Amino acid sequence: MGETKVETAALKQAADALVGLRGDTDRADNGPIDETVEAAQALNKYTFNHSGAGDGTWASADALVAMGERFSDAVGHLKWLLGEISGNIHETHKGYTKAEQEEKAKYANSGGNRSMYDDFG
């Protein structure tokens, strides 16, 4: 019969890494959003200064702003996903750690003559 072992330390390390990654994404969208706003403003300024009404620059600026909003929404969703996954892994880690501690206590109290594998045959 094979043995299955859960490396609780690896679970914790993975969850902590996701927390760090989630933290790194906090400002990931700031630069691109700022650049998008600047580009939209430049298009609008060009239209205003060159009497370019009807040349499509206002529509282009609006499209840039809309894409910036979509990008920001996608980054927000990524942050949420990373938080959810990290939380789930932390909960899994806690569950396995608790089960491991209970098993150790159960068999430590049996006088050391039994193995936890005795229950399985």
Side-chain angles (χ1 to χ4, degrees), residues 42-107:
L43 282 171
N44 286 337
K45 184 177 179 181
Y46 174 83
T47 299
F48 182 76
N49 289 338
H50 294 91
S51 300
D55 68 358
T57 53
W58 282 104
S60 297
D62 289 345
L64 273 174
V65 170
M67 289 305 295
E69 289 172 357
R70 286 179 61 190
F71 176 74
S72 185
D73 289 346
V75 170
H77 184 69
L78 174 62
K79 291 176 193 179
W80 178 82
L81 282 174
L82 289 171
E84 286 291 303
I85 293 167
S86 175
N88 289 338
I89 292 176
H90 271 109
E91 287 302 313
T92 300
H93 169 260
K94 284 195 285 188
Y96 277 115
T97 300
K98 181 180 177 187
E100 187 176 73
Q101 290 168 347
E102 289 171 352
E103 286 294 312
K104 285 180 182 178
K106 178 180 173 182
Y107 292 101

Side-chain angles (χ1 to χ4, degrees), residues 12-33:
K12 181 159 180 18
Q13 184 179 8
D16 290 346
L18 284 171
V19 168
L21 181 60
R22 199 287 180 205
D24 291 345
T25 64
D26 276 344
R27 291 181 202 82
D29 55 342
N30 288 356
I33 294 301

